[in-house]
């Protein structure tokens, strides 16, 4: 099993100040109910956080998320502190309609900005806690032919407030060819409807070839096709998270089976700082500008 996550390389990307204080990072997960949001979060890094939750035997059912649920964990890795917060939201479907669902998300994001704005202008500026949402994983169903009205609506409500990273849920239910086709259609829909998803920064020209290749591969993956599972299976004597099928096991962390590793690596190691920077410089700045123009009216 994995004994560290990989964020210890973050100090190379930031100021000494944040190294000492630690990093705050908040991830919001949204999308239709039943797409595997809670399962993926669990698979990504929060095994521990959900420990108190009942995960029913082999059926592996999670309790349904009925309200915005926030879980934080402080992790320390080679002297670097990270406070990781996951905000799991009730997806639409199952009694919650699309509008209730996106409103809950928008309110959550705005509320964190408002709190930060208040704190930043208050007396306790030195110990600002950053609860702003730095990234939003948007779950797209694998069984459709691209983005639905409800997905477009959701993204439109959120794209000027938060870094949206689209993911194709339950990619194990699709063939490789179907994944390729769906990715292409989703990107076309995003472009046609002028949705601003998170843009990976350009790679520095002085990076080495290996880095550039990795960067290209990462960008080519969007939207990430993911598989989640809370079941640990044995494959070739190794314990892995996976999903058992009559014809074999789909391994969550096997790059041939899903983009799970790329997504986790991107979030936690290579692009965490950029996600924070864009949140600060673009999304929060928009919010701040609105607050200030309202005050001065
Ligand atoms: P949520 O409502 O989006 O949080 O979805 P859950 O995480 O509660 O998962 C709903 C159901 O889908 C559960 O039965 C999971 O076992 C199943 N599930 C979760 N992730 C995957 C996946 O990647 N592939 C498949 N085939 N099923 C999944
Ligand atoms: Mg859930």
């Amino acid at each position: 099993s994995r004994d560290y996550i990989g964020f210890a390389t973050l100090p190379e990307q930031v100021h000494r100040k944040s190294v000492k204080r630690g990093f705050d990072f908040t991830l919001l997960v949204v999308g239709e109910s039943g797409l595997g949001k809670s399962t993926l979060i669990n698979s990504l890094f929060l095994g521990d956080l959900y420990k108190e939750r009942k995960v029913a035997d082999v059926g592996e059912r999670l309790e349904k998320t009925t309200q915005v649920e926030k879980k934080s964990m402080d992790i320390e890795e080679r002297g670097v502190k990270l406070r990781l917060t996951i905000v799991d939201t009730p997806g639409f479907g199952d009694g919650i309609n699309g509008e209730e669902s996106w409103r809950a998300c928008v309110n959550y994001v705005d509320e964190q900005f408002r709190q930060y704005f208040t704190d930043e202008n208050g007396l306790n500026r030195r110990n600002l806690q950053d609860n702003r949402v730095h990234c939003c994983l948007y779950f797209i169903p694998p069984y459709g032919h691209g983005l639905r009205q409800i997905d477009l609506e959701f993204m439109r409500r959120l794209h000027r407030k938060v870094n949206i990273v689209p993911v194709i849920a339950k990619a194990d239910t699709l063939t490789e060819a179907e994944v390729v086709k769906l990715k292409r259609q989703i990107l076309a829909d995003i472009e046609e409807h002028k949705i601003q998803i998170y843009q990976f920064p350009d790679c520095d020209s002085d990076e080495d070839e290996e880095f550039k290749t990795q960067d290209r591969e990462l960008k080519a993956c969007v939207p990430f096709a993911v598989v989640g599972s809370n079941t640990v299976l044995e494959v070739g004597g190794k314990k892995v998270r996976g999903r058992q099928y009559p014809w074999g096991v789909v391994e969550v962390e096997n790059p041939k089976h899903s983009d799970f590793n790329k997504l986790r690596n991107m979030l936690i190691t290579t692009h965490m700082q950029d996600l924070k920077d864009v949140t600060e410089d673009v999304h929060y700045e928009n919010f701040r500008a609105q607050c200030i123009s309202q005050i001065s009216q």
Side-chain angles (χ1 to χ4, degrees), residues 16-35:
R16 203 168 283 157
K17 186 179 75 185
S18 6
V19 176
K20 224 164 120 193
R21 254 191 14 212
F23 299 87
D24 293 307
F25 190 79
T26 296
L27 183 67
L28 178 75
V29 288
V30 301
E32 186 174 338
S33 166
L35 286 182

Side-chain angles (χ1 to χ4, degrees), residues 29-43 53 58-65 88-92 94 139 142 168-173 226-231 243 245 250 252:
V29 288
V30 301
E32 186 174 338
S33 166
L35 286 182
K37 296 184 295 299
S38 303
T39 306
L40 187 81
I41 286 313
N42 202 13
S43 313
R53 279 183 137 188
V58 238
E60 194 208 21
R61 273 164 294 127
L62 292 171
E63 281 164 37
K64 211 165 263 154
T65 320
D88 197 354
T89 63
F92 45 95
D94 283 336
F139 283 65
I168 297 174
K170 300 187 177 178
D172 55 317
T173 61
V226 294
V227 179
S229 169
N230 295 316
T231 310
R243 307 193 75 88
Y245 285 95
V250 176
V252 165

Side-chain angles (χ1 to χ4, degrees), residues 244-256:
Q244 180 81 59
Y245 285 95
W247 38 264
V249 172
V250 176
E251 298 166 47
V252 165
E253 301 195 37
N254 186 331
K256 291 201 187 81

Side-chain angles (χ1 to χ4, degrees), residues 31-33 90-94 96-98 101 138 148 150-151 154:
E32 186 174 338
S33 166
F92 45 95
D94 283 336
I96 294 171
N97 69 33
S101 182
Y138 188 88
R148 305 163 296 178
I150 175 77
D151 299 317
F154 228 106

Side-chain angles (χ1 to χ4, degrees), residues 205-262:
S205 53
D206 57 359
E207 294 285 358
D208 62 38
E209 277 313 310
E210 193 191 333
F211 187 95
K212 283 182 185 160
T213 307
Q214 269 182 17
D215 191 64
R216 249 194 318 272
E217 283 174 4
L218 179 72
K219 286 170 181 163
C221 254
V222 179
F224 298 90
V226 294
V227 179
S229 169
N230 295 316
T231 310
V232 176
L233 301 161
E234 223 175 280
V235 177
K238 244 181 20 189
K239 284 204 177 351
V240 298
R241 274 175 193 269
R243 307 193 75 88
Q244 180 81 59
Y245 285 95
W247 38 264
V249 172
V250 176
E251 298 166 47
V252 165
E253 301 195 37
N254 186 331
K256 291 201 187 81
H257 298 180
S258 87
D259 302 327
F260 178 93
N261 268 356
K262 283 208 178 69

